[in-house]
Amino acid sequence: MLTHQGTKVLHTPRLTLRRFTMEDALPMFETWANDPRVTRFLTWEPHGTPQVTRQLLAQWCADYEKPDNYNWAMELDGRLIGSIGVVRMDEKSERVDLGYCMAYDCWNQGLMPEAARAVIDYLFGQVGIHRLTICHAVKNPASGRVAQKCGLTYEGTMREFEKSAEGEFLDIAWYGIVRSEWEKQR
């Protein structure tokens, strides 16, 4: 049984993971939400205006009232650089899917694995999940490297499983970790 705690502040050596606020709308828009390099393999299009980002954040901020909401803003030296959170949850099976995106100028610095490890530890250690998965477009192998660096095991590829915002059907690779594996890694 899951023990929901909601989105709590987490710290890593370089990052602060915290709840989003409405003040994050413009930095989020300017930093990654409007960047087609970031959204290329995602199911949503780059935000066309800051208002689109504000509307999304209004919903995200309202969702923090729910104790089973896990959605973090990623900060590096006080600068908002990305988001990471649970994108799907199966309460009965105590299973979650983790999703993330980050500003292009922050790629390839080890920041996303650092954030993901903190969130994974929180979800297993505090919330009590049994299984966590990360999936990514095969055409975006860097996202798979994040999963591997976090100790997840490649489990297979679903062919033409997701349709990108650009209308392309994408093969999606799946990585997973179960509680016993997480415990061994600690």
Side-chain angles (χ1 to χ4, degrees):
M1 178 196 262
L2 300 179
T3 307
H4 290 298
Q5 319 246 338
T7 305
K8 296 200 175 173
V9 175
L10 305 175
H11 296 281
T12 73
R14 297 181 289 172
L15 300 169
T16 298
L17 307 179
R18 60 163 176 83
R19 290 180 174 197
F20 280 94
T21 68
M22 289 307 297
E23 289 75 36
D24 292 323
L26 191 57
M28 178 177 165
F29 173 78
E30 292 174 342
T31 306
W32 79 87
N34 75 337
D35 189 338
R37 296 170 298 186
V38 174
T39 63
R40 180 173 175 208
F41 299 113
L42 301 179
T43 57
W44 51 275
E45 294 181 7
H47 294 180
T49 66
Q51 180 60 25
V52 174
T53 307
R54 273 192 288 283
Q55 289 171 345
L56 176 65
L57 281 185
Q59 182 59 57
W60 284 3
C61 291
D63 286 344
Y64 287 130
E65 297 300 316
K66 304 172 194 168
D68 64 347
N69 178 269
Y70 303 98
N71 186 23
W72 288 269
M74 297 170 51
E75 273 188 7
L76 173 66
D77 298 326
R79 176 182 170 230
L80 184 67
I81 63 164
S83 67
I84 185 168
V86 172
V87 294
R88 280 178 292 279
M89 179 182 302
D90 181 328
E91 290 268 350
K92 182 179 178 222
S93 297
E94 301 172 6
R95 180 179 72 230
V96 299
D97 296 342
L98 195 63
Y100 42 79
C101 60
M102 186 171 59
Y104 182 77
D105 68 332
C106 294
W107 290 7
N108 300 311
Q109 298 175 37
L111 294 167
M112 193 55 76
E114 186 175 318
R117 279 192 290 273
V119 169
I120 290 167
D121 286 347
Y122 176 75
L123 292 170
F124 276 108
Q126 301 298 314
V127 179
I129 65 168
H130 177 75
R131 176 178 167 77
L132 180 138
T133 56
I134 292 174
C135 68
H136 70 91
V138 171
K139 290 183 176 183
N140 183 16
S143 197
R145 287 192 294 277
V146 170
Q148 293 166 356
K149 289 176 182 177
C150 292
L152 280 72
T153 301
Y154 172 73
E155 296 183 333
T157 297
M158 304 290 284
R159 297 173 300 127
E160 299 184 10
F161 185 73
E162 297 257 338
K163 190 174 185 180
S164 74
E166 297 174 352
E168 178 183 7
F169 285 98
L170 300 169
D171 294 348
I172 303 296
W174 288 85
Y175 291 80
I177 186 169
V178 296
R179 173 168 288 285
S180 60
E181 294 167 334
W182 173 77
E183 289 171 346
K184 286 180 190 172
Q185 293 176 11
R186 300 196 75 227

